[in-house]
Amino acid sequence: MKKFIILLVAIVMSAGTFAHNISDIDKKLVQSFKSQFPNAQEVSWYELPDTYEVYFIEEGIRTRITYWKKAFLVQFLRHYQEKNLPSYIQYRIKKEFPDKTIHGITELSTITGPEKNVKVVYDIKLVDNENWWTIKLNNDGNLKVVEKFKKAF
């Protein structure tokens, strides 16, 4: 009985996070999205209390965009492979970590304020024969190792 009540509460609480029909989302926002991402596939919109989120794939890159309802703040979260990483970043990684392979990238871009300031942070997963590494690189050029794990053999 306890499990049933907990399950029921979880379902009721999460009901607002299900995908919405596009007609329920702000029409200007949807039109802007369609004009900016005309080749987006597998598009899913979600309405949360303070944001709209849209998930999609474009040119093989999985993307989530978060639009805040009451403030000018937009976030792009993209997951991709080395071939999609800007070449100057690839060069820097290869130069500073020559014996490691780029395994995957998560890019977080945040646009704020009416000036549309952009902050970009790359979380880059590297691998070598013995370890997994996570490095962070931002648009100011700051690079640091944030994690290092031994591989399990």
Side-chain angles (χ1 to χ4, degrees), residues 76 78 80 85-86 88-89 105-111 117-123 136-142:
F76 295 81
R78 300 172 4 124
Y80 51 85
L85 192 62
Y88 67 93
I89 295 175
I105 297 100
T106 299
E107 173 190 316
L108 176 63
S109 302
T110 306
I111 304 171
N117 297 319
V118 179
K119 179 181 175 186
V120 181
V121 177
Y122 298 92
D123 275 349
K136 279 197 183 291
L137 176 67
N138 65 22
N139 54 337
D140 293 331
N142 299 322

Side-chain angles (χ1 to χ4, degrees), residues 82 85 89-90 92-106 123-136 143-151:
E82 179 178 1
L85 192 62
I89 295 175
Q90 286 183 39
R92 180 157 182 210
I93 300 300
K94 296 290 185 184
K95 185 174 180 182
E96 294 194 32
F97 302 94
D99 58 337
K100 296 173 186 33
T101 303
I102 296 174
H103 182 72
I105 297 100
T106 299
D123 275 349
I124 302 169
K125 297 291 184 191
L126 303 176
V127 64
D128 63 19
N129 291 335
E130 298 177 5
N131 299 295
W132 286 95
W133 305 71
T134 302
I135 60 171
K136 279 197 183 291
L143 184 145
K144 67 179 179 178
V145 175
V146 294
E147 293 178 325
K148 177 183 173 185
F149 296 104
K150 278 243 181 249
K151 284 183 170 180

Side-chain angles (χ1 to χ4, degrees), residues 35-48:
S35 68
Q36 291 175 346
F37 302 97
N39 299 319
Q41 300 173 343
E42 300 180 32
V43 178
S44 297
W45 286 86
Y46 297 86
E47 183 174 9
L48 301 170

Side-chain angles (χ1 to χ4, degrees), residues 46-110:
Y46 297 86
E47 183 174 9
L48 301 170
D50 297 324
T51 62
Y52 293 113
E53 290 187 353
V54 59
Y55 294 78
F56 62 98
I57 297 174
E58 186 178 50
E59 297 178 11
I61 298 174
R62 291 182 302 129
T63 303
R64 179 188 79 200
I65 301 177
T66 304
Y67 299 97
W68 268 256
K69 294 179 182 177
K70 296 182 181 172
F72 189 90
L73 179 63
V74 178
Q75 284 187 330
F76 295 81
L77 185 67
R78 300 172 4 124
H79 303 282
Y80 51 85
Q81 299 300 313
E82 179 178 1
K83 68 180 181 178
N84 300 105
L85 192 62
S87 56
Y88 67 93
I89 295 175
Q90 286 183 39
Y91 173 78
R92 180 157 182 210
I93 300 300
K94 296 290 185 184
K95 185 174 180 182
E96 294 194 32
F97 302 94
D99 58 337
K100 296 173 186 33
T101 303
I102 296 174
H103 182 72
I105 297 100
T106 299
E107 173 190 316
L108 176 63
S109 302
T110 306

